[in-house]
């Protein structure tokens, strides 16, 4: 297995208390496979990705339990220097959710896309320049050779997102974590980014973790889906099982909340309420307060029920 | 009837080191009172630039913006002040659009204070009212933005925009940073306040299913120019411009068995610095003819208009 995560727990030690951002999640990603991580905003998707790279918020973020294995190598106990040298940006790369925070406003985009290639000694000088142009071409930035000297603010939101993608794929990582890589893009370009991710995968055999709000993008790119809610994976399964027979009430509600092309205009089915605080999460089912099917039992933590091969969900309704 | 907002040959060119970026090229649009006009189109096609000109954050290179028939470039100071309080914006990013150092109450009161003399008590009342409209408790006023989730922050941004009782709201990707279930809440909220306060919306979104669900009219922008415009229902049911057709074919549906059209992914994005002559879409268009390569087509038809030489327009124009 390319990546095996077991019972991962990542906490943020804040003034207000300990926030259990990732609370005991397990998943695998095989070589050449795309796993979709979908779910509520604030459910811990980004922090799951950042945990793999150990790029947690400085001072507060800590992996407090569980294991992360890449090609069998345990990463949670690896030294910071070894992680920086061999793993981060090299074997595991991340396309960050907010392109503006991963781009430095005072450096040209040519410099920034070239920087991982330089740092990992992949190319220098003229070869570096042509490698940068090449990778910018692969992400379909218009006239890349002319724009190497331009700065991030001179590009549109979607163009910046592609520049960030270029930074991540430059070193042909084994595992690519793509955090909302298509959010700011219009669909014809979204298709191109989807195809780009597919091509990278076919060329390099990289595994991909796709973090997305967009259930359409997830459906078209992923082989398996893990649905997160309040720090936990509440349902996971092959893509068809998740979309055809969603079983957890949250997954069902999520699929009902999206406007669909060509569907009749009706009021959207919003999920009432807010997810619980992760500082003092309820001991029972974390979705209970918003769940339309809640029962008394739901005050206790629901067991994970296997529904079919590789498809499981954590809900008392399914027991 | 006078349009609420009218753009007439609106053009914006940015001068950069490497040349001129033709971000917006001669865009003309009418937005009628109490309707919702959606701007859709590729990343970098000029949507935000149009919004910025309406909000006077950028100066048009040429062309006019008329608000209820009056050109904002020739308004006197009093008229401009009135304009600025009637036109409000909600931007994509609920994380950076709220000043982190100010309490929510102050953030919401800010635009009111800029326009009106109000006592503390009157301000507090306005703040409480708009917080209530967006479904937030009154005590939220005393907290800071970082104490809220993304969806809540977007509610705060909407409350802030509502505080002056505007008539036109410019919504630039108002929900794309939000979770699906929260998106539905915000869209339902926006629809409710539109009815309640008789608002007119100009919404920018790359989510076509959302646009179909939410807007009454739609304008499709390609490389700074309008390629198609009309009532949403007609444009989605019978798209007339090949670009609109490609867009609709490219929407990834939340269905794992849906195969994305390859045609949708074709072509390099032309650069706004070097737009192709003739029809700006011609290098990507499967139907391009000789005339398309030399002479820009004119947007024709009402209310459903397209800028394309293909029938029915070619036929109609020939008569
Ligand atoms: N730097 C930080 N300081 C404090 N809390 C944080 C920080 N980063 C994340 N959190 C909290 O940790 C939890 C998980 O956050 P995370 O960013 O992983 O969510 P997510 O699932 O990626 O959400 P989204 O879909 O909105 O991006 C949230 O409750 C969030 O508020
Ligand atoms: N300050 C600037 N200087 C130079 N070029 C700019 C500037 N701002 C925007 N541009 C260019 O103008 C064009 C239009 O940009 P704009 O931000 O309006 O696009 P958009 O349609 O909102 O795209 P997105 O969907 O990615 O947000 C792009 O080619 C962009 O690179
Ligand atoms: S365990 Fe109970 S509250 Fe939780 S999702 Fe299932 S039915 Fe709803
Ligand atoms: Mg995130
Ligand atoms: Mg924009």
């Amino acid at each position: 297995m390319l990546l095996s995560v077991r019972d991962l727990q990542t906490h943020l030690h804040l003034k207000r208390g300990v926030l259990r951002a990732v609370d005991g999640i397990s998943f695998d990603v095989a070589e050449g496979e795309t796993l979709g991580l979908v779910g509520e905003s604030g459910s811990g998707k980004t922090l799951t990705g950042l945990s793999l790279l150990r790029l947690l918020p400085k001072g507060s973020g800590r992996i407090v339990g569980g294991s992360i294995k890449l090609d069998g190598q345990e990463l949670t106990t690896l030294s910071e220097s070894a992680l920086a040298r061999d793993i981060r940006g090299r074997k595991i790369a991340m396309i960050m959710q907010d392109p503006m925070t991963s781009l430095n406003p005072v450096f040209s985009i040519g410099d920034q896309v070239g920087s991982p290639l330089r740092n990992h000694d992949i190319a220098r000088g003229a070869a570096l320049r042509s490698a940068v142009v090449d990778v910018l071409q692969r992400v379909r930035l218009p006239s890349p050779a002319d724009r190497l000297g331009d700065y991030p603010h001179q590009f549109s939101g979607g163009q910046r997102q592609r520049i960030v993608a270029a930074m991540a794929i430059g070193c042909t990582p084994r595992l690519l974590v793509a955090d909302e890589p298509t959010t700011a893009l219009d669909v014809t370009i979204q298709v191109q980014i989807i195809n780009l991710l597919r091509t990278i995968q076919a060329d390099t055999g990289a595994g991909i973790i796709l973090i997305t709000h967009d259930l359409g993008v997830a459906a078209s790119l992923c082989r398996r889906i893990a649905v997160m809610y309040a720090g936990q994976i509440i349902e996971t399964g092959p893509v068809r099982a998740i979309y055809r027979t969603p079983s957890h009430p949250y997954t069902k509600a999520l699929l009902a909340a999206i406007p669909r092309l060509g569907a009749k205009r009706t009021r959207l089915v919003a999920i009432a309420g807010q997810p619980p605080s992760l500082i003092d999460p309820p001991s029972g089912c974390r979705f209970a307060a918003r769940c339309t099917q809640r029962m008394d039992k739901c005050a206790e933590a629901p067991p994970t029920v296997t529904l079919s091969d590789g498809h499981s969900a954590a809900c008392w309704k399914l027991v | 009837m006078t349009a609420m907002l009218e753009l007439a040959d609106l053009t914006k060119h940015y001068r950069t080191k490497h040349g001129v970026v033709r971000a917006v090229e001669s865009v003309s649009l009418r937005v009628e009172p109490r309707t919702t006009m959606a701007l859709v189109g590729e990343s970098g096609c000029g949507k935000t630039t149009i919004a910025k000109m309406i909000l006077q954050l950028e100066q048009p290179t040429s062309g006019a913006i008329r608000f209820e028939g009056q050109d904002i470039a020739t308004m006197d100071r009093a008229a401009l002040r009135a304009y600025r309080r009637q036109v409000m914006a909600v931007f994509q990013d609920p994380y950076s659009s709220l000043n982190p150092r100010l309490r929510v109450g102050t953030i919401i009161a800010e635009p009111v204070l800029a326009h009106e003399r109000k006592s503390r008590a009157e301000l507090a009342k306005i703040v409480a009212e708009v917080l209530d409209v967006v479904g937030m408790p009154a005590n939220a006023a005393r907290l800071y933005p970082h104490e809220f989730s993304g969806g809540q922050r977007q509610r705060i941004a909407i409350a802030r925009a509502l505080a002056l009782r505007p008539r036109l709201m410019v919504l630039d990707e108002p929900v794309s940073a939000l979770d699906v279930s929260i998106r539905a809440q915000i869209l339902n909220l926006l629809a409710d306040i539109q009815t309640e306060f008789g608002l007119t919306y100009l919404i920018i979104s790359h989510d076509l299913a959302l646009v179909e669900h939410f807007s009454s009219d739609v304008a499709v922008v390609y490389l700074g120019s309008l390629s198609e415009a009309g009532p949403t229902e007609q444009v989605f049911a019978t798209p007339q411009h090949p670009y609109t057709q490609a867009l609709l074919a490219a929407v990834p549906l939340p269905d794992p068995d849906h195969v994305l059209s390859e045609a949708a992914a074709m072509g390099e994005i032309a650069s706004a610095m070097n737009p192709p002559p003739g029809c700006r879409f011609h290098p990507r268009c499967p139907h391009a003819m000789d005339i398309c390569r030399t002479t820009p087509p004119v947007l024709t038809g009402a209310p459903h208009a397209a800028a394309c030489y293909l029938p029915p327009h070619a036929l109609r124009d020939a008569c």
Side-chain angles (χ1 to χ4, degrees):
Chain A
M1 193 55 67
L2 174 62
L3 179 78
S4 274
V5 173
R6 288 292 170 274
D7 203 24
L8 179 67
Q9 284 180 286
T10 301
H11 289 179
L12 299 180
H13 296 259
L14 307 174
K15 264 189 250 146
R16 299 178 278 144
V18 176
L19 189 142
R20 301 156 171 274
V22 179
D23 205 7
I25 68 170
S26 302
F27 60 90
D28 292 326
V29 181
E31 209 162 312
E33 180 185 58
T34 303
L35 171 75
L37 214 50
V38 305
E40 195 78 8
S41 178
S43 61
K45 303 181 298 293
T46 295
L47 282 175
T48 300
L50 293 174
S51 297
L52 304 179
L53 291 158
R54 229 190 285 158
L55 278 180
L56 297 168
K58 281 217 171 57
S60 67
R62 216 164 305 152
I63 296 176
V64 296
S67 126
I68 301 170
K69 284 193 172 133
L70 183 75
D71 288 320
Q73 183 187 18
E74 178 61 50
L75 299 187
T76 52
T77 50
L78 200 64
S79 74
E80 167 61 28
S81 59
L83 197 86
R85 189 183 60 233
D86 302 329
I87 307 290
R88 193 183 292 148
R90 184 73 184 87
K91 284 190 178 167
I92 306 181
M94 185 153 168
I95 301 177
M96 296 292 174
Q97 178 162 12
D98 175 5
M100 263 335 239
T101 58
S102 18
L103 290 172
N104 188 325
V106 304
F107 288 104
S108 72
I109 62 132
D111 266 352
Q112 298 190 60
V113 175
S115 130
L117 294 160
R118 238 181 352 253
N119 294 345
H120 294 290
D121 262 327
I122 291 172
R124 281 187 190 283
L128 178 64
R129 188 190 144 88
S130 74
V132 169
V133 172
D134 177 64
V135 71
L136 286 172
Q137 237 147 24
R138 284 169 67 195
V139 298
R140 314 280 175 122
L141 193 80
S143 9
D146 297 337
R147 298 205 68 178
L148 292 183
D150 286 352
Y151 293 86
H153 74 269
Q154 291 170 301
F155 294 88
S156 75
Q159 289 169 335
R160 284 180 215 140
Q161 205 144 15
R162 276 175 271 151
I163 294 165
V164 173
M167 284 167 69
I169 64 171
C171 297
T172 51
R174 298 273 293 142
L175 179 73
L176 184 64
V177 183
D179 196 356
E180 305 282 2
T182 60
T183 320
L185 307 180
D186 103 295
V187 287
T188 66
I189 304 309
Q190 198 165 290
V191 178
Q192 294 185 358
I193 297 279
I194 289 172
N195 287 340
L196 170 76
L197 291 175
R198 283 193 187 130
T199 312
I200 295 169
Q201 195 160 53
D203 289 353
T204 67
I208 296 180
I209 296 177
L210 177 75
I211 299 174
T212 182
H213 283 132
D214 189 324
L215 294 166
V217 172
S220 59
L221 204 55
C222 301
R223 192 187 301 166
R224 282 185 310 118
I225 303 281
V227 185
M228 284 191 78
Y229 191 83
Q232 301 176 331
I233 292 178
I234 51 95
E235 181 162 1
T236 182
V239 64
R240 236 172 232 93
I242 298 290
Y243 286 80
R244 294 270 183 275
T245 52
S247 300
H248 194 284
Y250 173 67
T251 314
K252 288 185 185 170
L254 197 59
L255 284 163
I258 41 177
R260 290 177 190 242
L261 208 60
K264 254 184 59 194
R265 269 169 88 125
T266 48
R267 204 172 161 79
L268 296 171
V269 190
I271 306 177
Q274 297 282 335
S277 154
L278 294 177
I279 291 187
D280 195 10
S283 53
C285 171
R286 294 190 177 175
F287 187 58
R290 303 171 77 187
C291 183
T292 52
Q293 321 207 10
R294 184 178 55 234
M295 312 168 284
D296 289 345
K297 251 204 215 139
C298 303
E300 285 166 50
T304 297
V305 181
T306 300
L307 302 154
S308 61
D309 200 19
H311 184 192
S312 59
C315 169
W316 282 113
K317 274 300 243 203
L318 306 168
V319 175
Chain B
M1 192 169 50
T2 324
M4 171 68 60
L5 180 76
E6 194 179 355
L7 312 180
D9 285 321
L10 194 63
T11 298
K12 176 71 190 180
H13 295 170
Y14 290 107
R15 280 173 207 294
T16 70
K17 261 190 295 184
H18 296 282
V20 176
V21 177
R22 299 169 178 276
V24 177
E25 196 75 76
S26 197
V27 164
S28 300
L29 261 190
R30 281 172 66 94
V31 185
E32 306 298 341
R34 294 164 186 261
T35 63
T36 299
M37 168 69 76
L39 285 182
V40 301
E42 204 137 64
S43 155
C45 73
K47 305 178 297 293
T48 296
T49 304
I50 293 174
K52 282 183 176 165
M53 289 190 280
I54 294 167
L55 297 164
Q56 297 186 300
L57 301 172
E58 290 284 358
Q59 202 52 37
T61 306
S62 64
I65 297 168
R66 287 192 272 272
F67 185 72
E68 301 196 302
Q70 216 190 337
D71 187 340
I72 65 169
T74 61
M75 282 182 180
D76 60 23
R77 279 183 61 190
L80 264 184
R81 274 182 73 82
Y83 174 69
R84 285 182 192 141
R85 55 172 302 168
Q86 294 184 83
V87 181
M88 289 286 152
V90 175
F91 288 104
Q92 167 169 2
D93 187 357
Y95 300 92
S96 63
S97 60
L98 304 177
N99 186 335
R101 282 183 299 272
L102 300 181
R103 288 179 204 273
V104 165
T106 314
I107 291 173
I108 295 174
E110 234 180 6
V112 182
L113 275 176
H115 286 275
E116 289 170 10
R117 261 176 227 282
K118 292 269 183 216
S119 71
R120 273 170 158 266
E122 285 169 316
L123 275 178
K125 187 161 165 278
I126 292 174
V127 169
E129 271 170 18
V130 289
L131 280 172
D132 183 55
V133 170
V134 299
M136 301 268 295
N139 69 8
R142 282 182 280 120
L143 304 176
Y144 290 90
H146 71 85
E147 297 177 76
F148 294 95
S149 71
Q152 290 170 325
R153 282 184 236 196
Q154 203 59 309
R155 285 171 188 270
I156 294 166
I158 293 169
R160 177 179 203 266
L162 279 178
L164 273 169
R165 297 268 181 261
R167 299 177 55 215
L168 173 69
M169 292 241 271
V170 177
L171 311 165
D172 191 351
E173 303 274 8
V175 297
S176 60
L178 302 178
D179 182 72
V180 181
S181 78
I182 309 293
R183 251 181 228 190
Q185 291 178 11
I186 298 288
L187 290 172
N188 288 342
L189 169 69
L190 285 169
D192 291 345
I193 55 186
Q194 177 167 44
T195 318
E196 187 175 342
F197 301 113
L199 289 173
T200 305
Y201 287 150
L202 178 73
I203 185 172
I204 294 173
S205 174
H206 66 275
D207 182 338
L208 290 166
L210 184 157
V211 164
E212 185 185 31
H213 177 85
F214 192 74
S215 68
S216 47
D217 300 87
V218 61
V220 185
V221 188
Y222 186 78
L223 268 187
S225 300
L226 288 190
S227 57
E228 184 158 359
T232 304
E233 248 173 64
Q234 290 182 33
V235 173
F236 277 71
T238 52
Q240 293 184 350
H241 194 285
Y243 175 57
T244 316
Q245 289 167 359
L247 272 183
L248 288 171
V251 177
L253 302 183
D255 175 355
D257 291 320
H258 172 74
V259 181
L260 277 179
S261 150
E262 278 300 317
M266 82 225 150
E268 294 291 323
I269 309 151
S271 152
M273 213 133 80
N274 243 322
C279 171
R280 290 182 164 202
F281 186 62
H282 88 254
R284 298 177 72 188
C285 183
H287 313 287
M289 304 166 282
D290 284 344
I291 187 169
C292 308
R293 297 185 184 95
T294 54
T295 319
V298 181
L299 192 73
T300 37
H304 183 178
C308 175
Y309 290 110
L310 282 180
H313 303 279
L315 295 176
R316 194 162 58 220
D317 292 350
C319 306

